[in-house]
Amino acid sequence: MSAIWYLFLAMARAGLLGYGGGPSAIPLIRTEVVERYHWLSDQEFADALAIANTLPGPIATKLSAFVGYKVAGILGATFALIGMVAPTAIAVIVLLKLLMTFKDSPYLKGLISAVRPVVVVLLLQTAWQASQNSTFGDWKPIAVGVAAALALFWLKIDAPYVILGAMVLGLIFFRTPSV
């Protein structure tokens, strides 16, 4: 039962501190899962993140369910999801009242402006850490990354289509021969 409690706490911490939504919670989830509790290795986390990005829905809930299931099965996935969602939902209800009360406050606007760059840095840190455990030694993954960047930023193709395209390229060029 203690693993389930720790799953709940880990995901609640990541969910509550992940200002800006799911993507900003990714580095916090990684800290809990890889560094604090050692439930996944860096490579396993990078793989889980890659798979979670291919599925529809919020990334934080998919990651928390994956980790919970890996650690403690269905019950673990359930409590990890509750830990990710419930505290945040309660906080949103409380904070919405405060935000509506102080929406014109220069202090609140300053607080939000200061937090945004931190979220960007946290996302860059997660991308950097994921790249350290990826197989970029070959030219193919680098080419896929460059093509994805061009598709997203220059051609303005929506991310789900870019992910699907990368999956097709993976099926064609990255298959490992069966033994």
Side-chain angles (χ1 to χ4, degrees), residues 82-117:
I82 291 169
M84 180 59 68
V85 175
T88 305
I90 293 166
V92 164
I93 292 167
V94 171
L95 289 175
L96 184 59
K97 177 64 178 156
L98 288 172
L99 287 173
M100 297 314 293
T101 303
F102 298 107
K103 66 182 177 192
D104 296 323
S105 166
Y107 298 109
L108 179 63
K109 290 177 182 176
L111 178 129
I112 292 171
S113 295
V115 170
R116 285 186 184 135

PDB file of all heavy atoms in Angstrom, residues 82-117:
ATOM      1  N   ILE A  82      -5.362   9.989  -9.939  1.00  0.00           N
ATOM      2  CA  ILE A  82      -6.059  10.809  -8.934  1.00  0.00           C
ATOM      3  C   ILE A  82      -5.088  11.833  -8.343  1.00  0.00           C
ATOM      4  O   ILE A  82      -5.431  13.010  -8.176  1.00  0.00           O
ATOM      5  CB  ILE A  82      -6.679   9.927  -7.828  1.00  0.00           C
ATOM      6  CG1 ILE A  82      -7.841   9.111  -8.399  1.00  0.00           C
ATOM      7  CG2 ILE A  82      -7.152  10.778  -6.647  1.00  0.00           C
ATOM      8  CD1 ILE A  82      -8.356   8.032  -7.468  1.00  0.00           C
ATOM      9  N   GLY A  83      -3.871  11.396  -8.066  1.00  0.00           N
ATOM     10  CA  GLY A  83      -2.859  12.315  -7.537  1.00  0.00           C
ATOM     11  C   GLY A  83      -2.546  13.439  -8.499  1.00  0.00           C
ATOM     12  O   GLY A  83      -2.317  14.581  -8.090  1.00  0.00           O
ATOM     13  N   MET A  84      -2.538  13.141  -9.797  1.00  0.00           N
ATOM     14  CA  MET A  84      -2.233  14.160 -10.799  1.00  0.00           C
ATOM     15  C   MET A  84      -3.394  15.137 -10.974  1.00  0.00           C
ATOM     16  O   MET A  84      -3.194  16.335 -11.117  1.00  0.00           O
ATOM     17  CB  MET A  84      -1.897  13.489 -12.144  1.00  0.00           C
ATOM     18  CG  MET A  84      -1.566  14.454 -13.260  1.00  0.00           C
ATOM     19  SD  MET A  84      -0.169  15.554 -12.940  1.00  0.00           S
ATOM     20  CE  MET A  84       1.179  14.414 -12.923  1.00  0.00           C
ATOM     21  N   VAL A  85      -4.614  14.641 -10.937  1.00  0.00           N
ATOM     22  CA  VAL A  85      -5.765  15.458 -11.309  1.00  0.00           C
ATOM     23  C   VAL A  85      -6.482  16.116 -10.123  1.00  0.00           C
ATOM     24  O   VAL A  85      -6.798  17.307 -10.179  1.00  0.00           O
ATOM     25  CB  VAL A  85      -6.771  14.605 -12.130  1.00  0.00           C
ATOM     26  CG1 VAL A  85      -8.029  15.381 -12.430  1.00  0.00           C
ATOM     27  CG2 VAL A  85      -6.121  14.119 -13.415  1.00  0.00           C
ATOM     28  N   ALA A  86      -6.747  15.381  -9.065  1.00  0.00           N
ATOM     29  CA  ALA A  86      -7.604  15.898  -7.979  1.00  0.00           C
ATOM     30  C   ALA A  86      -7.041  17.142  -7.289  1.00  0.00           C
ATOM     31  O   ALA A  86      -7.769  18.137  -7.163  1.00  0.00           O
ATOM     32  CB  ALA A  86      -7.893  14.795  -6.965  1.00  0.00           C
ATOM     33  N   PRO A  87      -5.785  17.137  -6.829  1.00  0.00           N
ATOM     34  CA  PRO A  87      -5.297  18.358  -6.163  1.00  0.00           C
ATOM     35  C   PRO A  87      -5.323  19.579  -7.082  1.00  0.00           C
ATOM     36  O   PRO A  87      -5.643  20.682  -6.651  1.00  0.00           O
ATOM     37  CB  PRO A  87      -3.860  18.001  -5.762  1.00  0.00           C
ATOM     38  CG  PRO A  87      -3.847  16.520  -5.699  1.00  0.00           C
ATOM     39  CD  PRO A  87      -4.798  16.064  -6.769  1.00  0.00           C
ATOM     40  N   THR A  88      -5.008  19.355  -8.348  1.00  0.00           N
ATOM     41  CA  THR A  88      -5.021  20.460  -9.294  1.00  0.00           C
ATOM     42  C   THR A  88      -6.435  20.970  -9.511  1.00  0.00           C
ATOM     43  O   THR A  88      -6.665  22.186  -9.581  1.00  0.00           O
ATOM     44  CB  THR A  88      -4.397  20.017 -10.635  1.00  0.00           C
ATOM     45  OG1 THR A  88      -3.103  19.496 -10.374  1.00  0.00           O
ATOM     46  CG2 THR A  88      -4.304  21.155 -11.615  1.00  0.00           C
ATOM     47  N   ALA A  89      -7.388  20.055  -9.619  1.00  0.00           N
ATOM     48  CA  ALA A  89      -8.784  20.480  -9.809  1.00  0.00           C
ATOM     49  C   ALA A  89      -9.262  21.300  -8.621  1.00  0.00           C
ATOM     50  O   ALA A  89      -9.919  22.336  -8.792  1.00  0.00           O
ATOM     51  CB  ALA A  89      -9.670  19.252 -10.011  1.00  0.00           C
ATOM     52  N   ILE A  90      -8.924  20.871  -7.433  1.00  0.00           N
ATOM     53  CA  ILE A  90      -9.313  21.618  -6.222  1.00  0.00           C
ATOM     54  C   ILE A  90      -8.614  22.979  -6.201  1.00  0.00           C
ATOM     55  O   ILE A  90      -9.238  24.007  -5.920  1.00  0.00           O
ATOM     56  CB  ILE A  90      -8.987  20.796  -4.957  1.00  0.00           C
ATOM     57  CG1 ILE A  90      -9.893  19.559  -4.908  1.00  0.00           C
ATOM     58  CG2 ILE A  90      -9.154  21.647  -3.699  1.00  0.00           C
ATOM     59  CD1 ILE A  90      -9.450  18.508  -3.909  1.00  0.00           C
ATOM     60  N   ALA A  91      -7.335  22.982  -6.525  1.00  0.00           N
ATOM     61  CA  ALA A  91      -6.585  24.247  -6.545  1.00  0.00           C
ATOM     62  C   ALA A  91      -7.150  25.205  -7.589  1.00  0.00           C
ATOM     63  O   ALA A  91      -7.230  26.415  -7.348  1.00  0.00           O
ATOM     64  CB  ALA A  91      -5.105  23.983  -6.814  1.00  0.00           C
ATOM     65  N   VAL A  92      -7.557  24.681  -8.743  1.00  0.00           N
ATOM     66  CA  VAL A  92      -8.124  25.543  -9.790  1.00  0.00           C
ATOM     67  C   VAL A  92      -9.400  26.213  -9.304  1.00  0.00           C
ATOM     68  O   VAL A  92      -9.616  27.407  -9.534  1.00  0.00           O
ATOM     69  CB  VAL A  92      -8.382  24.726 -11.086  1.00  0.00           C
ATOM     70  CG1 VAL A  92      -9.304  25.467 -12.035  1.00  0.00           C
ATOM     71  CG2 VAL A  92      -7.078  24.405 -11.769  1.00  0.00           C
ATOM     72  N   ILE A  93     -10.219  25.468  -8.627  1.00  0.00           N
ATOM     73  CA  ILE A  93     -11.469  26.036  -8.121  1.00  0.00           C
ATOM     74  C   ILE A  93     -11.186  27.161  -7.125  1.00  0.00           C
ATOM     75  O   ILE A  93     -11.770  28.241  -7.199  1.00  0.00           O
ATOM     76  CB  ILE A  93     -12.347  24.931  -7.492  1.00  0.00           C
ATOM     77  CG1 ILE A  93     -12.825  23.980  -8.592  1.00  0.00           C
ATOM     78  CG2 ILE A  93     -13.525  25.532  -6.735  1.00  0.00           C
ATOM     79  CD1 ILE A  93     -13.425  22.688  -8.076  1.00  0.00           C
ATOM     80  N   VAL A  94     -10.245  26.925  -6.216  1.00  0.00           N
ATOM     81  CA  VAL A  94      -9.898  27.936  -5.217  1.00  0.00           C
ATOM     82  C   VAL A  94      -9.198  29.128  -5.879  1.00  0.00           C
ATOM     83  O   VAL A  94      -9.546  30.297  -5.619  1.00  0.00           O
ATOM     84  CB  VAL A  94      -9.003  27.324  -4.112  1.00  0.00           C
ATOM     85  CG1 VAL A  94      -8.444  28.388  -3.189  1.00  0.00           C
ATOM     86  CG2 VAL A  94      -9.784  26.276  -3.326  1.00  0.00           C
ATOM     87  N   LEU A  95      -8.230  28.838  -6.734  1.00  0.00           N
ATOM     88  CA  LEU A  95      -7.476  29.925  -7.362  1.00  0.00           C
ATOM     89  C   LEU A  95      -8.304  30.746  -8.342  1.00  0.00           C
ATOM     90  O   LEU A  95      -8.061  31.936  -8.512  1.00  0.00           O
ATOM     91  CB  LEU A  95      -6.234  29.365  -8.060  1.00  0.00           C
ATOM     92  CG  LEU A  95      -5.136  28.880  -7.127  1.00  0.00           C
ATOM     93  CD1 LEU A  95      -4.002  28.235  -7.905  1.00  0.00           C
ATOM     94  CD2 LEU A  95      -4.609  30.033  -6.279  1.00  0.00           C
ATOM     95  N   LEU A  96      -9.268  30.117  -8.988  1.00  0.00           N
ATOM     96  CA  LEU A  96     -10.121  30.860  -9.906  1.00  0.00           C
ATOM     97  C   LEU A  96     -10.847  31.980  -9.176  1.00  0.00           C
ATOM     98  O   LEU A  96     -10.937  33.108  -9.684  1.00  0.00           O
ATOM     99  CB  LEU A  96     -11.117  29.929 -10.591  1.00  0.00           C
ATOM    100  CG  LEU A  96     -11.994  30.569 -11.645  1.00  0.00           C
ATOM    101  CD1 LEU A  96     -11.145  31.186 -12.752  1.00  0.00           C
ATOM    102  CD2 LEU A  96     -12.945  29.549 -12.232  1.00  0.00           C
ATOM    103  N   LYS A  97     -11.315  31.681  -7.998  1.00  0.00           N
ATOM    104  CA  LYS A  97     -11.981  32.713  -7.184  1.00  0.00           C
ATOM    105  C   LYS A  97     -10.998  33.848  -6.866  1.00  0.00           C
ATOM    106  O   LYS A  97     -11.338  35.034  -6.998  1.00  0.00           O
ATOM    107  CB  LYS A  97     -12.532  32.090  -5.893  1.00  0.00           C
ATOM    108  CG  LYS A  97     -13.165  33.060  -4.961  1.00  0.00           C
ATOM    109  CD  LYS A  97     -14.389  33.712  -5.549  1.00  0.00           C
ATOM    110  CE  LYS A  97     -15.025  34.648  -4.526  1.00  0.00           C
ATOM    111  NZ  LYS A  97     -15.818  35.676  -5.133  1.00  0.00           N
ATOM    112  N   LEU A  98      -9.765  33.471  -6.474  1.00  0.00           N
ATOM    113  CA  LEU A  98      -8.754  34.502  -6.176  1.00  0.00           C
ATOM    114  C   LEU A  98      -8.370  35.295  -7.421  1.00  0.00           C
ATOM    115  O   LEU A  98      -8.218  36.525  -7.367  1.00  0.00           O
ATOM    116  CB  LEU A  98      -7.515  33.849  -5.566  1.00  0.00           C
ATOM    117  CG  LEU A  98      -7.665  33.329  -4.145  1.00  0.00           C
ATOM    118  CD1 LEU A  98      -6.431  32.524  -3.742  1.00  0.00           C
ATOM    119  CD2 LEU A  98      -7.892  34.479  -3.182  1.00  0.00           C
ATOM    120  N   LEU A  99      -8.190  34.604  -8.542  1.00  0.00           N
ATOM    121  CA  LEU A  99      -7.818  35.298  -9.778  1.00  0.00           C
ATOM    122  C   LEU A  99      -8.901  36.271 -10.225  1.00  0.00           C
ATOM    123  O   LEU A  99      -8.596  37.371 -10.698  1.00  0.00           O
ATOM    124  CB  LEU A  99      -7.530  34.286 -10.887  1.00  0.00           C
ATOM    125  CG  LEU A  99      -6.223  33.518 -10.761  1.00  0.00           C
ATOM    126  CD1 LEU A  99      -6.132  32.439 -11.826  1.00  0.00           C
ATOM    127  CD2 LEU A  99      -5.040  34.467 -10.874  1.00  0.00           C
ATOM    128  N   MET A 100     -10.139  35.860 -10.091  1.00  0.00           N
ATOM    129  CA  MET A 100     -11.228  36.759 -10.484  1.00  0.00           C
ATOM    130  C   MET A 100     -11.291  37.976  -9.559  1.00  0.00           C
ATOM    131  O   MET A 100     -11.610  39.070  -9.998  1.00  0.00           O
ATOM    132  CB  MET A 100     -12.573  36.014 -10.490  1.00  0.00           C
ATOM    133  CG  MET A 100     -12.631  34.880 -11.508  1.00  0.00           C
ATOM    134  SD  MET A 100     -12.001  35.273 -13.156  1.00  0.00           S
ATOM    135  CE  MET A 100     -13.164  36.450 -13.742  1.00  0.00           C
ATOM    136  N   THR A 101     -10.940  37.772  -8.303  1.00  0.00           N
ATOM    137  CA  THR A 101     -10.944  38.874  -7.346  1.00  0.00           C
ATOM    138  C   THR A 101      -9.806  39.857  -7.631  1.00  0.00           C
ATOM    139  O   THR A 101      -9.979  41.070  -7.537  1.00  0.00           O
ATOM    140  CB  THR A 101     -10.827  38.334  -5.904  1.00  0.00           C
ATOM    141  OG1 THR A 101     -11.896  37.428  -5.676  1.00  0.00           O
ATOM    142  CG2 THR A 101     -10.873  39.450  -4.889  1.00  0.00           C
ATOM    143  N   PHE A 102      -8.620  39.317  -7.989  1.00  0.00           N
ATOM    144  CA  PHE A 102      -7.437  40.163  -8.156  1.00  0.00           C
ATOM    145  C   PHE A 102      -6.958  40.248  -9.602  1.00  0.00           C
ATOM    146  O   PHE A 102      -5.783  40.514  -9.857  1.00  0.00           O
ATOM    147  CB  PHE A 102      -6.295  39.623  -7.283  1.00  0.00           C
ATOM    148  CG  PHE A 102      -6.619  39.633  -5.824  1.00  0.00           C
ATOM    149  CD1 PHE A 102      -6.893  38.441  -5.158  1.00  0.00           C
ATOM    150  CD2 PHE A 102      -6.664  40.813  -5.106  1.00  0.00           C
ATOM    151  CE1 PHE A 102      -7.199  38.442  -3.805  1.00  0.00           C
ATOM    152  CE2 PHE A 102      -6.969  40.825  -3.762  1.00  0.00           C
ATOM    153  CZ  PHE A 102      -7.242  39.628  -3.110  1.00  0.00           C
ATOM    154  N   LYS A 103      -7.852  40.045 -10.572  1.00  0.00           N
ATOM    155  CA  LYS A 103      -7.444  39.966 -11.980  1.00  0.00           C
ATOM    156  C   LYS A 103      -6.736  41.213 -12.501  1.00  0.00           C
ATOM    157  O   LYS A 103      -5.943  41.132 -13.427  1.00  0.00           O
ATOM    158  CB  LYS A 103      -8.634  39.628 -12.867  1.00  0.00           C
ATOM    159  CG  LYS A 103      -9.687  40.703 -12.912  1.00  0.00           C
ATOM    160  CD  LYS A 103     -10.850  40.271 -13.767  1.00  0.00           C
ATOM    161  CE  LYS A 103     -11.906  41.374 -13.709  1.00  0.00           C
ATOM    162  NZ  LYS A 103     -13.149  40.943 -14.265  1.00  0.00           N
ATOM    163  N   ASP A 104      -6.975  42.350 -11.922  1.00  0.00           N
ATOM    164  CA  ASP A 104      -6.329  43.585 -12.389  1.00  0.00           C
ATOM    165  C   ASP A 104      -5.109  43.975 -11.559  1.00  0.00           C
ATOM    166  O   ASP A 104      -4.525  45.037 -11.784  1.00  0.00           O
ATOM    167  CB  ASP A 104      -7.354  44.729 -12.375  1.00  0.00           C
ATOM    168  CG  ASP A 104      -8.492  44.478 -13.362  1.00  0.00           C
ATOM    169  OD1 ASP A 104      -8.218  43.939 -14.448  1.00  0.00           O
ATOM    170  OD2 ASP A 104      -9.649  44.817 -13.029  1.00  0.00           O
ATOM    171  N   SER A 105      -4.713  43.124 -10.658  1.00  0.00           N
ATOM    172  CA  SER A 105      -3.588  43.429  -9.780  1.00  0.00           C
ATOM    173  C   SER A 105      -2.255  43.376 -10.537  1.00  0.00           C
ATOM    174  O   SER A 105      -1.950  42.393 -11.210  1.00  0.00           O
ATOM    175  CB  SER A 105      -3.541  42.422  -8.625  1.00  0.00           C
ATOM    176  OG  SER A 105      -2.304  42.509  -7.955  1.00  0.00           O
ATOM    177  N   PRO A 106      -1.445  44.427 -10.425  1.00  0.00           N
ATOM    178  CA  PRO A 106      -0.127  44.393 -11.066  1.00  0.00           C
ATOM    179  C   PRO A 106       0.785  43.338 -10.433  1.00  0.00           C
ATOM    180  O   PRO A 106       1.674  42.813 -11.086  1.00  0.00           O
ATOM    181  CB  PRO A 106       0.421  45.808 -10.855  1.00  0.00           C
ATOM    182  CG  PRO A 106      -0.401  46.405  -9.756  1.00  0.00           C
ATOM    183  CD  PRO A 106      -1.710  45.695  -9.755  1.00  0.00           C
ATOM    184  N   TYR A 107       0.542  42.988  -9.175  1.00  0.00           N
ATOM    185  CA  TYR A 107       1.347  41.957  -8.513  1.00  0.00           C
ATOM    186  C   TYR A 107       1.086  40.596  -9.145  1.00  0.00           C
ATOM    187  O   TYR A 107       2.015  39.828  -9.399  1.00  0.00           O
ATOM    188  CB  TYR A 107       1.038  41.904  -7.014  1.00  0.00           C
ATOM    189  CG  TYR A 107       1.368  43.178  -6.288  1.00  0.00           C
ATOM    190  CD1 TYR A 107       0.361  44.007  -5.819  1.00  0.00           C
ATOM    191  CD2 TYR A 107       2.700  43.570  -6.100  1.00  0.00           C
ATOM    192  CE1 TYR A 107       0.665  45.191  -5.163  1.00  0.00           C
ATOM    193  CE2 TYR A 107       3.008  44.756  -5.441  1.00  0.00           C
ATOM    194  CZ  TYR A 107       1.989  45.557  -4.982  1.00  0.00           C
ATOM    195  OH  TYR A 107       2.290  46.731  -4.331  1.00  0.00           O
ATOM    196  N   LEU A 108      -0.171  40.288  -9.402  1.00  0.00           N
ATOM    197  CA  LEU A 108      -0.529  39.019 -10.024  1.00  0.00           C
ATOM    198  C   LEU A 108       0.034  38.945 -11.442  1.00  0.00           C
ATOM    199  O   LEU A 108       0.586  37.920 -11.845  1.00  0.00           O
ATOM    200  CB  LEU A 108      -2.050  38.838 -10.048  1.00  0.00           C
ATOM    201  CG  LEU A 108      -2.553  37.558 -10.708  1.00  0.00           C
ATOM    202  CD1 LEU A 108      -2.059  36.334  -9.936  1.00  0.00           C
ATOM    203  CD2 LEU A 108      -4.069  37.567 -10.792  1.00  0.00           C
ATOM    204  N   LYS A 109      -0.082  40.036 -12.183  1.00  0.00           N
ATOM    205  CA  LYS A 109       0.466  40.063 -13.545  1.00  0.00           C
ATOM    206  C   LYS A 109       1.984  39.880 -13.517  1.00  0.00           C
ATOM    207  O   LYS A 109       2.546  39.176 -14.358  1.00  0.00           O
ATOM    208  CB  LYS A 109       0.082  41.362 -14.246  1.00  0.00           C
ATOM    209  CG  LYS A 109      -1.399  41.414 -14.572  1.00  0.00           C
ATOM    210  CD  LYS A 109      -1.798  42.730 -15.209  1.00  0.00           C
ATOM    211  CE  LYS A 109      -3.300  42.729 -15.473  1.00  0.00           C
ATOM    212  NZ  LYS A 109      -3.781  43.976 -15.993  1.00  0.00           N
ATOM    213  N   GLY A 110       2.649  40.474 -12.544  1.00  0.00           N
ATOM    214  CA  GLY A 110       4.094  40.306 -12.413  1.00  0.00           C
ATOM    215  C   GLY A 110       4.469  38.880 -12.060  1.00  0.00           C
ATOM    216  O   GLY A 110       5.427  38.321 -12.604  1.00  0.00           O
ATOM    217  N   LEU A 111       3.713  38.278 -11.161  1.00  0.00           N
ATOM    218  CA  LEU A 111       3.974  36.885 -10.765  1.00  0.00           C
ATOM    219  C   LEU A 111       3.870  35.954 -11.974  1.00  0.00           C
ATOM    220  O   LEU A 111       4.758  35.134 -12.220  1.00  0.00           O
ATOM    221  CB  LEU A 111       2.958  36.474  -9.690  1.00  0.00           C
ATOM    222  CG  LEU A 111       3.048  35.050  -9.206  1.00  0.00           C
ATOM    223  CD1 LEU A 111       3.100  35.031  -7.692  1.00  0.00           C
ATOM    224  CD2 LEU A 111       1.868  34.263  -9.697  1.00  0.00           C
ATOM    225  N   ILE A 112       2.809  36.102 -12.754  1.00  0.00           N
ATOM    226  CA  ILE A 112       2.611  35.252 -13.924  1.00  0.00           C
ATOM    227  C   ILE A 112       3.698  35.496 -14.964  1.00  0.00           C
ATOM    228  O   ILE A 112       4.226  34.559 -15.571  1.00  0.00           O
ATOM    229  CB  ILE A 112       1.189  35.460 -14.493  1.00  0.00           C
ATOM    230  CG1 ILE A 112       0.159  34.912 -13.499  1.00  0.00           C
ATOM    231  CG2 ILE A 112       1.043  34.794 -15.854  1.00  0.00           C
ATOM    232  CD1 ILE A 112      -1.274  35.247 -13.824  1.00  0.00           C
ATOM    233  N   SER A 113       4.077  36.732 -15.161  1.00  0.00           N
ATOM    234  CA  SER A 113       5.142  37.050 -16.127  1.00  0.00           C
ATOM    235  C   SER A 113       6.481  36.447 -15.723  1.00  0.00           C
ATOM    236  O   SER A 113       7.268  36.035 -16.575  1.00  0.00           O
ATOM    237  CB  SER A 113       5.293  38.560 -16.261  1.00  0.00           C
ATOM    238  OG  SER A 113       4.142  39.120 -16.819  1.00  0.00           O
ATOM    239  N   ALA A 114       6.748  36.367 -14.441  1.00  0.00           N
ATOM    240  CA  ALA A 114       8.019  35.803 -13.972  1.00  0.00           C
ATOM    241  C   ALA A 114       8.051  34.285 -14.069  1.00  0.00           C
ATOM    242  O   ALA A 114       9.116  33.692 -14.242  1.00  0.00           O
ATOM    243  CB  ALA A 114       8.275  36.239 -12.530  1.00  0.00           C
ATOM    244  N   VAL A 115       6.910  33.634 -13.984  1.00  0.00           N
ATOM    245  CA  VAL A 115       6.870  32.170 -13.999  1.00  0.00           C
ATOM    246  C   VAL A 115       6.999  31.615 -15.419  1.00  0.00           C
ATOM    247  O   VAL A 115       7.591  30.558 -15.625  1.00  0.00           O
ATOM    248  CB  VAL A 115       5.580  31.663 -13.312  1.00  0.00           C
ATOM    249  CG1 VAL A 115       5.373  30.184 -13.525  1.00  0.00           C
ATOM    250  CG2 VAL A 115       5.648  31.968 -11.818  1.00  0.00           C
ATOM    251  N   ARG A 116       6.491  32.299 -16.413  1.00  0.00           N
ATOM    252  CA  ARG A 116       6.515  31.791 -17.792  1.00  0.00           C
ATOM    253  C   ARG A 116       7.910  31.413 -18.283  1.00  0.00           C
ATOM    254  O   ARG A 116       8.087  30.330 -18.849  1.00  0.00           O
ATOM    255  CB  ARG A 116       5.866  32.801 -18.730  1.00  0.00           C
ATOM    256  CG  ARG A 116       4.371  32.820 -18.618  1.00  0.00           C
ATOM    257  CD  ARG A 116       3.743  33.718 -19.664  1.00  0.00           C
ATOM    258  NE  ARG A 116       2.309  33.769 -19.448  1.00  0.00           N
ATOM    259  CZ  ARG A 116       1.592  34.868 -19.479  1.00  0.00           C
ATOM    260  NH1 ARG A 116       2.172  36.031 -19.705  1.00  0.00           N
ATOM    261  NH2 ARG A 116       0.300  34.815 -19.269  1.00  0.00           N
ATOM    262  N   PRO A 117       8.936  32.243 -18.116  1.00  0.00           N
ATOM    263  CA  PRO A 117      10.257  31.828 -18.604  1.00  0.00           C
ATOM    264  C   PRO A 117      10.808  30.610 -17.868  1.00  0.00           C
ATOM    265  O   PRO A 117      11.561  29.818 -18.436  1.00  0.00           O
ATOM    266  CB  PRO A 117      11.150  33.051 -18.376  1.00  0.00           C
ATOM    267  CG  PRO A 117      10.315  34.089 -17.775  1.00  0.00           C
ATOM    268  CD  PRO A 117       8.924  33.608 -17.630  1.00  0.00           C
TER     269      PRO A 117
END
